[in-house]
Amino acid sequence: MFGATLSRWTMSYFAAALAFLLIGEAMMVLGYGYPAAAIEAPETLALVHTIALGWLSLLMAGALLQFVPVLVGRPLCCAHLAFPALVLLVVGIAGLIIGFVGLAGSIDLPPIVLPAAAVVTIAGFACFGVAFAVTLWRARPLPLTARFVVVGLAALAVTILLGGTYAFVLGGADASEAAIALTLEGVSPHAALGLGGWLTFTTMGVSYRLLTMFMLSPDAERRSSRIVWLSGSGALGLVAGMIPLVLTDVPGRLGGLLVAACLGVLAVVVYAGDMFRIYRERRRREIELNTRASIGAFGALIAAAVLLVGLLVTGRMEHGIGSLVYLVAFGWLTGMGLAQLYKIIPFMTWLECYGPALGRTPTPRVQDLVVERRALGWFRAFYASVLIATLSLSVGAVPLFRLASLCQLVAILALVLEFTRARRLSNVPASLRLPTGAVRPHLFLPSHQLWRLP
């Protein structure tokens, strides 16, 4: 299911990503950033990058280290770049967050911190981007699911280059008119390509393969999935094409963005239909908790698409952009991430621990590593808190938003504890926990005793 080789550093990426998620949730509980501060304030930039880069991007990078080889059916090239990429990303993202905090005046920092952190972050993304790009290039012709990842990586490249430009301007390292104009007018494409391209479009592609594997559904390419790829790629291409127009007075930019929004909504609608088909055609009648918990994420994605249409039709995009971004980042992306981690962490732990003992001695099942009944309530609490927080943002109820964020933080802490228990084999009966030949997995780091399964 996951290929013959386990990714060496995926679990470390997951651990770092979850740490950033908890930090971001704590920031919202304490009222740091939006909605307590303006959406363009440095405090909000610190919060946004904690979630978008620290949590979601590290999570996606770690997942792709394991799943890109699965999508293309060949080992990851330049796999040795995964560890330096992780170090550079953690250092760079932390530097960006601290730089934004300094920009807010909370601490005294030299202006060079922000551009320096941007360079380190870009270097980190470049490291794992090279590994993925070389792997995908050598695996041509690519299956459709892998082509989603290609588009996502292209969106990431544009996103980080735009972000680097903004960091240099805000840090005082670039005062050119073009860079300043891009910083003032290019934030929307930066966010759209990051959340919509790198994170959402890549998640769509991976989910096609992931959910069909987990539910034993037919995984043949369909016309509908090609429509999703074409319309989503077209939307992202239009957004990227509008960026040079920021530097000119060429008319038609708004019209192009509206067409991109329509294509994006079309992609979401058809994708939702595909996910419904995958659930309906599954051969596994009893679906596991990770798959059930994903339904809430799909619901949030559909709700975000409806909200986007409503904001465009009513002309209230500026008023509702905070709710829209929150719903995408937490309801859709965070919900899907947490749901799939509930399966991926136990499954990779099971392979790493019991792979050497398979066929030689009795071993537990993957499901023995988790207790779904205990985690189900926390997933429900998470999605309920996301709904309340989204509604509170819509009406400007800041105290209610902070209370919902506190509930969300508690739910995520409980789920992280469930991940930890699965990693430590705490739920496995003592008589089966470590049979002869099994390898005890490290909590965050890879075991040096097992990389390739027999």
Side-chain angles (χ1 to χ4, degrees):
M1 181 186 284
F2 275 45
T5 304
L6 286 175
S7 170
R8 183 170 184 175
W9 293 104
T10 286
M11 211 60 67
S12 302
Y13 274 80
F14 289 167
L18 288 168
F20 276 108
L21 173 60
L22 294 174
I23 292 170
E25 290 285 353
M27 292 167 72
M28 290 187 291
V29 171
L30 296 173
Y32 194 87
Y34 186 82
I39 201 166
E40 69 277 3
E43 294 91 340
T44 302
L45 294 177
L47 173 61
V48 166
H49 287 81
T50 300
I51 299 299
L53 290 183
W55 156 234
L56 294 172
S57 292
L58 282 179
L59 174 67
M60 182 62 72
L64 290 180
L65 288 173
Q66 185 64 54
F67 291 120
V68 164
V70 175
L71 296 179
V72 301
R74 61 180 298 148
L76 183 70
C77 299
C78 308
H80 61 279
L81 293 176
F83 177 64
L86 175 60
V87 174
L88 289 169
L89 285 172
V90 170
V91 172
I93 294 169
L96 284 174
I97 296 168
I98 293 172
F100 287 127
V101 172
L103 200 63
S106 302
I107 54 177
D108 188 19
L109 291 174
I112 195 62
V113 169
L114 207 55
V119 170
V120 175
T121 304
I122 291 173
F125 280 120
C127 280
F128 78 73
V130 166
F132 295 147
V134 173
T135 303
L136 293 165
W137 178 262
R138 292 180 178 178
R140 294 168 300 154
L142 295 174
L144 183 62
T145 50
R147 280 181 268 159
F148 276 85
V149 177
V150 171
V151 175
L153 289 173
L156 171 64
V158 179
T159 301
I160 61 175
L161 290 177
L162 285 174
T165 301
Y166 304 156
F168 270 68
V169 171
L170 294 174
D174 189 346
S176 64
E177 292 185 7
I180 293 174
L182 202 58
T183 301
L184 294 175
E185 302 293 336
V187 174
S188 295
H190 176 65
L193 290 171
L195 283 178
W198 158 234
L199 295 169
T200 290
F201 204 62
T202 306
T203 299
M204 286 179 169
V206 172
S207 66
Y208 273 109
R209 184 64 187 276
L210 200 61
L211 292 177
T212 53
M213 288 194 303
F214 287 152
M215 291 191 289
L216 302 180
S217 302
D219 61 351
E221 291 185 8
R222 294 176 178 252
R223 179 181 299 177
S224 56
S225 53
R226 289 192 288 271
I227 291 174
V228 175
W229 185 81
L230 288 171
S231 55
S233 300
L236 296 169
L238 279 173
V239 172
M242 294 297 109
I243 294 173
L245 300 183
V246 170
L247 307 178
T248 67
D249 294 326
V250 176
R253 186 171 44 146
L254 180 59
L257 292 176
L258 287 174
V259 173
C262 292
L263 288 173
V265 171
L266 173 63
V268 169
V269 171
V270 179
Y271 170 75
D274 280 347
M275 293 300 104
F276 177 76
R277 173 186 56 79
I278 289 173
Y279 275 81
R280 187 187 60 205
E281 296 179 357
R282 70 185 187 275
R283 297 189 186 97
R284 177 172 287 170
R285 291 298 95 189
E286 295 295 327
I287 58 176
E288 297 170 341
L289 179 56
N290 66 293
T291 311
R292 282 185 285 158
S294 300
I295 296 173
F298 295 132
L301 178 61
I302 296 170
V306 172
L307 179 58
L308 173 61
V309 172
L311 293 175
L312 289 173
V313 170
T314 59
R316 293 174 59 83
M317 180 61 72
E318 185 174 347
H319 174 78
I321 189 64
S323 301
L324 178 62
V325 171
Y326 182 87
L327 190 57
V328 171
F330 286 92
W332 157 237
L333 292 169
T334 299
M336 177 63 80
L338 292 172
Q340 296 311 313
L341 282 179
Y342 191 76
K343 178 67 175 185
I344 294 170
I345 290 176
F347 194 86
M348 291 188 67
T349 300
W350 182 84
L351 287 175
E352 183 179 343
C353 179
Y354 301 112
L358 290 177
R360 301 187 181 98
T361 185
T363 59
R365 304 169 304 150
V366 176
Q367 285 303 98
D368 291 331
L369 273 65
V370 295
V371 180
E372 290 192 354
R373 183 173 54 185
R374 189 169 59 210
L376 175 60
W378 295 116
F379 275 111
R380 288 173 174 169
F382 169 79
Y383 283 117
S385 64
V386 169
L387 175 60
I388 295 171
T390 304
L391 293 175
S392 66
L393 286 175
S394 300
V395 299
V398 177
L400 180 60
F401 175 81
R402 293 177 63 181
L403 179 61
S405 297
L406 176 60
C407 296
Q408 193 175 134
L409 175 59
V410 171
I412 292 172
L413 280 169
L415 289 173
V416 170
L417 179 60
E418 293 298 318
F419 302 154
T420 304
R421 289 177 62 85
R423 188 68 180 159
R424 289 188 176 277
L425 311 175
S426 300
N427 299 317
V428 180
S431 58
L432 288 176
R433 188 168 300 158
L434 285 172
T436 303
V439 177
R440 180 182 290 277
H442 192 280
L443 183 57
F444 301 126
L445 300 177
S447 166
H448 293 281
Q449 303 178 55
L450 173 67
W451 301 125
R452 190 171 295 274
L453 301 180

